Amino acid sequence: MRVEEHPKLHAVMIPLPLQGHINPFTHLAMKLASKGFTITFVNTESTHQHITRAQSLKDDDDNPFSHAQKSGLDIRYAKISDGFPLSFERRAKADQFVEGLIHVFEAHVDDFIEKLILSKPDPPVSCIIADSFHVWASTIAKKYNLFNVSFWTEPATVLTIYYHMDLLKSKGHFGCHDKCEDTIRYIPGVQAIEPADLPSYCQDPDSSTVMPRFVFKCLEDAQKADFVICNTVQELESSAISVIQEKQPFYAIGPVFPASFTKRTISAGLLPESDYTDWLNSKQDGTVLYISFGSLANMSKQDILEIAQGILISKVSFIWVLRHNILGSGERNILPRRFEEETVGRGLVVPWCSQLAVLSHPAVGGFLTHCGWNSILESIWCKVPMVCVPILTDQFTNRKLVVNDWRIGVNLCTGRLIRREEVAENIGRIMSKSDDLRKNIERTKMVLHNALSDEGSSKKNLNQFIEEMKNKILQKK
């Protein structure tokens, strides 16, 4: 039998059911499909329901990739249960939901993969591309003789820190109530870092609670992957990447953006978006501060009030994305009395928007951000310096990269408590068109831009990953 010289690759892609993970997965699906992959993209039924409502899609016959399919890309779409009824409040009962992701979701993925393989799809399934924050990828890949590709949607620096948890523990910086507070200088590939800049799960003295257990179980599984692909750029994190590459095949393929940065071709948003282009068009270039804390993180009412008072003091023009559930309690009236009246004409408070469209608008000159990794990459691409207020997970380490290593942003405040005077002061620093910040972010943008060029590192790394996959498949035959 003649061995096929160039096997057609068929990847089953399964993101974590959170907006910050779904976005890079959808863009990666498009990118891989444009390079000849067949993609079976799997969302949970709950995620699909949110997307359908937010994007006003037509019933179940439509799907987020219908436009891509019409353009000739082979992206197939599927929905599976996450183990909970659709009516279950996943956000309000987060610990229970995460326990389900650990113990229940795997059975639904297993059932789906088995049925897909038995249906004998053309081409046959080659690999699973699973979010690194899934606990089951190595088990299922091994069971069905598939290649296991782990997609890490955070910086390589964060993965390097996680991969050295034992070292942090032995040095007294993790897993003990009397943690050392001295600067950490011993993690391979990571520049000097303060304990307060470690990911939040590394700062928690009790690692037995549900979220740390979930994260560390996922990371244990990710280390068994055949390949790790990462939404970062080689030149931005070369030391951290080199350390991971000593442990397993690792490819920096970022930034994973849509083909056209401002015109999305995939309907992946979980919340309805409104268009504020006309309002932004009325503002001078570089004069508007964009404020958003992402789709997941909760904040205290006191912090929101201090930020609002800082905005009033600064007198800056702004567009503020204030989700209705940002307090986690459902309380709606959280801004100071008369805030919107006092900022009429110069400010907008909105429930959600297209972040790509806002950041890429010339009127936007600064971004007050929770330091989610997607937000940071998008902000760099649009050359918008940042005021950083990390809230959870990788965001503390991301802030360190933005402020200390790349010098393209500033800290919102020096302590844990947000103070209105510091808010106003740091908004002023960002919006004053500081030469140093602008030069640094211009240079960092060029690193991202060059990485995606024909001879760039990310393009080469993606092509190398694809070739390695094809070679592995040929060897298996």
Side-chain angles (χ1 to χ4, degrees):
M1 186 175 83
R2 188 173 68 86
V3 176
E4 186 181 4
E5 290 182 17
H6 299 289
K8 175 89 169 175
L9 300 177
H10 182 169
V12 178
M13 298 184 67
I14 312 179
L16 195 70
L18 297 173
Q19 188 74 77
H21 295 251
I22 293 165
N23 284 354
F25 259 83
T26 54
H27 302 322
L28 179 62
M30 295 281 286
K31 185 169 281 199
L32 291 177
S34 70
K35 288 185 168 288
F37 270 73
T38 291
I39 301 293
T40 296
F41 195 98
V42 183
N43 267 331
T44 66
E45 290 168 351
S46 173
T47 296
H48 177 76
Q49 185 184 67
H50 280 93
I51 292 173
T52 301
R53 288 175 180 168
Q55 307 298 328
S56 301
L57 300 179
K58 307 170 181 172
D59 307 325
D60 284 339
D61 357 90
D62 208 345
N63 70 67
F65 293 97
S66 57
H67 181 88
Q69 291 170 340
K70 288 171 188 171
S71 71
L73 298 181
D74 190 359
I75 303 180
R76 306 163 191 183
Y77 185 63
K79 308 176 290 289
I80 62 174
S81 171
D82 57 18
F84 293 88
L86 289 175
S87 59
F88 179 79
E89 293 290 339
R90 289 154 180 79
R91 183 183 175 84
K93 300 175 181 177
D95 282 1
Q96 193 177 341
F97 180 53
V98 169
E99 290 284 10
L101 290 178
I102 296 173
H103 300 294
V104 180
F105 187 46
E106 179 179 346
H108 294 277
V109 176
D110 193 329
D111 185 56
F112 172 79
I113 296 290
E114 181 178 37
K115 287 177 179 174
L116 179 62
I117 289 172
L118 288 174
S119 72
K120 298 185 187 287
D122 182 25
V125 179
S126 328
C127 65
I128 296 173
I129 302 181
D131 198 300
S132 302
F133 286 103
H134 281 311
V135 301
W136 41 258
S138 63
T139 304
I140 289 181
K142 184 176 181 181
K143 179 176 179 179
Y144 295 103
N145 197 25
L146 302 172
F147 289 105
N148 175 14
V149 182
S150 185
F151 184 23
W152 182 251
T153 58
E154 297 177 0
T157 299
V158 174
L159 186 60
T160 307
I161 292 169
Y162 281 139
Y163 275 10
H164 290 90
M165 296 300 297
D166 289 346
L167 190 55
L168 283 167
K169 194 167 187 176
S170 70
K171 299 284 188 179
H173 281 109
F174 167 69
C176 51
H177 288 278
D178 299 318
K179 293 197 305 255
C180 296
E181 294 300 328
D182 53 311
T183 303
I184 299 166
R185 304 180 189 276
Y186 54 78
I187 302 175
V190 178
Q191 294 182 33
I193 184 170
E194 300 301 322
D197 290 330
L198 292 173
S200 61
Y201 304 123
C202 302
Q203 299 184 42
D204 191 339
D206 184 4
S207 58
S208 65
T209 56
V210 60
M211 283 308 299
R213 279 195 296 109
F214 171 64
V215 169
F216 301 142
K217 190 172 178 62
C218 294
L219 290 158
E220 185 181 325
D221 194 77
Q223 292 182 68
K224 301 173 184 176
D226 297 303
F227 305 94
V228 179
I229 52 179
C230 180
N231 189 17
T232 192
V233 173
Q234 190 90 27
E235 290 79 5
L236 278 186
E237 302 189 87
S238 56
S239 298
I241 289 169
S242 296
V243 168
I244 302 170
Q245 287 174 332
E246 292 173 7
K247 299 175 180 291
Q248 62 191 134
F250 181 97
Y251 303 87
I253 61 167
V256 181
F257 286 149
S260 174
F261 191 66
T262 54
K263 294 180 181 177
R264 191 180 309 162
T265 55
I266 313 166
S267 305
L270 302 182
L271 294 169
E273 297 173 353
S274 297
D275 186 356
Y276 301 100
T277 304
D278 289 343
W279 185 86
L280 286 166
N281 286 343
S282 71
K283 304 300 177 187
Q284 292 182 359
D285 289 1
T287 60
V288 175
L289 177 72
Y290 172 56
I291 309 164
S292 177
F293 304 112
S295 59
L296 181 66
N298 290 341
M299 297 187 75
S300 72
K301 185 171 183 178
Q302 184 59 35
D303 284 346
I304 294 291
L305 289 173
E306 289 296 314
I307 289 169
Q309 294 293 351
I311 290 168
L312 289 174
I313 295 168
S314 74
K315 301 191 184 307
V316 70
S317 294
F318 65 91
I319 180 167
W320 187 352
V321 175
L322 203 57
R323 299 188 332 265
H324 70 85
N325 57 1
I326 195 164
L327 297 184
S329 64
E331 183 180 352
R332 297 297 182 106
N333 300 317
I334 58 178
L335 289 169
R337 285 184 62 210
R338 298 179 57 81
F339 176 82
E340 293 190 63
E341 292 173 42
E342 291 180 40
T343 58
V344 69
R346 71 175 175 93
L348 277 183
V349 178
V350 304
W352 199 245
C353 68
S354 167
Q355 182 160 290
L356 299 179
V358 172
L359 281 175
S360 59
H361 195 284
V364 174
F367 184 9
L368 201 164
T369 173
H370 66 309
C371 296
W373 186 235
N374 294 327
S375 293
I376 287 172
L377 292 175
E378 291 163 6
S379 200
I380 293 170
W381 190 264
C382 297
K383 298 184 287 189
V384 177
M386 287 158 270
V387 183
C388 299
V389 52
I391 301 170
L392 74 167
T393 64
D394 61 316
Q395 295 160 15
F396 297 95
T397 309
N398 299 351
R399 173 193 58 186
K400 186 256 188 191
L401 294 172
V402 167
V403 176
N404 297 14
D405 296 3
W406 305 330
R407 301 187 183 279
I408 55 176
V410 298
N411 285 324
L412 179 72
C413 52
T414 52
R416 291 283 184 176
L417 291 176
I418 294 175
R419 301 293 186 195
R420 63 191 67 181
E421 295 82 9
E422 288 185 283
V423 173
E425 178 187 345
N426 284 304
I427 287 173
R429 287 175 64 191
I430 285 292
M431 302 305 292
S432 66
K433 300 181 172 58
S434 158
D435 284 346
D436 285 346
L437 282 174
R438 303 284 162 181
K439 285 177 184 174
N440 291 343
I441 204 160
E442 177 83 39
R443 185 170 60 247
T444 312
K445 155 68 187 285
M446 287 310 299
V447 172
L448 268 60
H449 182 271
N450 291 340
L452 295 178
S453 67
D454 286 344
E455 295 301 315
S457 60
S458 290
K459 191 156 190 178
K460 287 181 177 178
N461 289 340
L462 181 62
N463 289 336
Q464 184 184 351
F465 159 69
I466 293 170
E467 284 306 308
E468 289 291 331
M469 277 287 300
K470 288 180 177 178
N471 290 338
K472 292 274 189 185
I473 290 168
L474 286 173
Q475 289 168 16
K476 191 165 74 170
K477 287 184 177 182

